[in-house]
Amino acid sequence: MAQGSKSGINRYNDGMGMRERWVANYFNTYETFFDNNDHGLNPKYQIPPFINWLREAMILSQDGKSITKSGLYMAEAYKTKPQVVWELIFIGLCDNSEICNWYHSSIGFSHSYSREETDIILQESYPDLQDRTLRNPLNSLLNTFKESPLGSSIPVGVIEKERNKVIITRRPHNELSMVAAAYSLYRYAERKKRYTLTVSEFYDENQEEGIYRQFGLDRAVFERLLLSIQEEGNHVLRAELNMGLDNIILREDLTSVDILKLML
C-alpha cells in the first residue's frame, strides 16, 4: 500500500469525517458553498479535510473546487434519495480514499472488532508508518460512520460502545439500490478494463474490492438484484445466471457516470 502523508492515507485532520450535515449543506448550496463562510465550517481545520472527502467521493474535481458531473447528479438526487447517494459516496470512497480502501478490503463482515484490534490490523498493513499517522485517518473514518448513514441505515461501519470500549462492526447491506449496484459494477469494470464479469469473482475469498467487499450482500440477494437491473428500462447489463452460468455482461458504450445519469 502507498506511503501515508497528507497526500496519502493521512489526508484529514484528526476526527474530521465526512459528516451528513456537511454533505447536505454542500449539496443544497454547491454553487456558492466555497465562496463564503456561510457553511459554518472552520476554514482551517474542517474545510480542507471536507474537500478531500468530496474529491474522494468523486463529487469535486481533483484539482479544484468545482462540482463534477457525478456530483451534479448526486446533488439533484439527494433531495429525494439521500440514502442512495450515500451508497454512491461509499463506493467512491472505497475506490479513492486510502483509509476507506484499507477498511473495506481488510475488515470482515458480521464480526465485532474492538478499536484496539482495528488499530493492530491497520498497523500491520502499514508497518513503516507511525501510530499517529494511522490513528488520524482511522479516527476520521470512524467519525464518518458515526456522523452519517454509513453507520446506521447503511450499516457498513456501525460504531457502538460496550463497557466503555468502542466496537466496530460491518454488517451486510442487503437493501442496496439498483443504481448503486450498477454504479459499483461499472466502477469495477473501468478499473479492470473488462466488461464481462462473474458473480463468483466478487465472492472469491481473495477478492479485496468490488460490490461484496463494499456492502457484504448475500449472494442470493446480489443475483436477484442483477435480474432486477436487467429488467430496468435502460438495459445497462445482462445477467446469465441459468444452467450453472454466473456471467454479468456490462455495456462497453456506458461509463459509471452514465449510470448515474440514466438511473438516479
Side-chain angles (χ1 to χ4, degrees):
M1 294 190 180
Q3 290 293 310
S5 68
K6 279 296 180 185
S7 60
I9 195 170
N10 189 17
R11 291 169 55 80
Y12 328 98
N13 291 328
D14 192 16
M16 292 294 136
M18 193 173 191
R19 302 178 184 180
E20 181 176 24
R21 65 182 184 276
W22 296 359
V23 171
N25 189 3
Y26 173 75
F27 280 141
N28 285 332
T29 62
Y30 67 84
E31 292 178 312
T32 59
F33 186 87
F34 295 111
D35 294 343
N36 52 57
N37 290 327
D38 292 349
H39 45 65
L41 277 65
N42 183 291
K44 183 176 180 181
Y45 294 106
Q46 294 179 318
I47 285 293
F50 185 45
I51 287 173
N52 284 334
W53 286 119
L54 289 172
R55 286 176 177 162
E56 290 165 348
M58 304 180 71
I59 294 167
L60 280 190
S61 63
Q62 295 302 305
D63 55 358
K65 298 178 183 176
S66 57
I67 193 167
T68 61
K69 281 188 178 180
S70 298
L72 286 171
Y73 295 135
M74 291 186 211
E76 182 61 30
Y78 201 82
K79 299 171 185 175
T80 56
K81 297 179 280 191
Q83 176 164 311
V84 172
V85 174
W86 274 99
E87 293 172 347
L88 301 172
I89 285 171
F90 188 64
I91 293 165
L93 296 182
C94 288
D95 286 353
N96 301 305
S97 164
E98 191 165 347
I99 186 63
C100 194
N101 181 284
W102 165 82
Y103 176 85
H104 98 287
S105 63
S106 302
I107 300 299
F109 284 94
S110 302
H111 173 79
S112 294
Y113 295 81
S114 69
R115 175 58 198 261
E116 290 76 15
E117 285 179 292
T118 311
D119 285 336
I120 290 169
I121 297 169
L122 181 57
Q123 187 67 67
E124 288 175 347
S125 299
Y126 293 88
D128 297 332
L129 297 185
Q130 295 181 350
D131 176 67
R132 181 168 179 77
T133 302
L134 297 175
R135 289 186 67 85
N136 282 356
L138 183 55
N139 285 341
S140 297
L141 182 64
L142 298 185
N143 183 254
T144 298
F145 295 150
K146 182 180 178 183
E147 299 288 342
S148 80
L150 299 177
S152 52
S153 57
I154 306 168
V156 293
V158 179
I159 309 296
E160 297 168 311
K161 278 200 170 182
E162 293 180 7
R163 300 173 186 164
N164 290 322
K165 288 191 173 183
V166 172
I167 301 296
I168 304 147
T169 310
R170 296 193 75 194
R171 295 180 182 143
H173 179 49
N174 283 316
E175 306 303 317
L176 188 67
S177 65
M178 288 196 294
V179 59
Y183 182 67
S184 176
L185 291 172
Y186 272 83
R187 290 285 303 153
Y188 180 86
E190 287 164 350
R191 290 193 304 280
K192 299 297 183 183
K193 294 181 169 45
R194 57 183 171 86
Y195 287 77
T196 299
L197 314 173
T198 66
V199 173
S200 299
E201 72 185 85
F202 293 108
Y203 290 85
D204 187 287
E205 63 180 11
N206 297 315
Q207 179 63 270
E208 294 185 347
E209 58 183 313
I211 193 167
Y212 173 75
R213 290 303 314 169
Q214 290 162 351
F215 296 105
L217 318 200
D218 293 342
R219 182 166 178 153
V221 171
F222 181 40
E223 291 181 349
R224 288 196 297 270
L225 191 53
L226 288 171
L227 294 174
S228 296
I229 297 170
Q230 178 174 251
E231 298 303 316
E232 195 265 347
N234 293 296
H235 306 296
V236 302
L237 63 77
R238 286 191 295 116
E240 298 176 339
L241 304 179
N242 295 322
M243 306 290 290
L245 298 174
D246 69 345
N247 296 322
I248 307 165
I249 302 164
L250 307 183
R251 286 172 51 182
E252 295 189 40
D253 62 321
L254 295 180
T255 68
S256 56
V257 178
D258 291 328
I259 295 301
L260 302 186
K261 178 181 179 180
L262 293 170
M263 295 182 68
L264 260 184

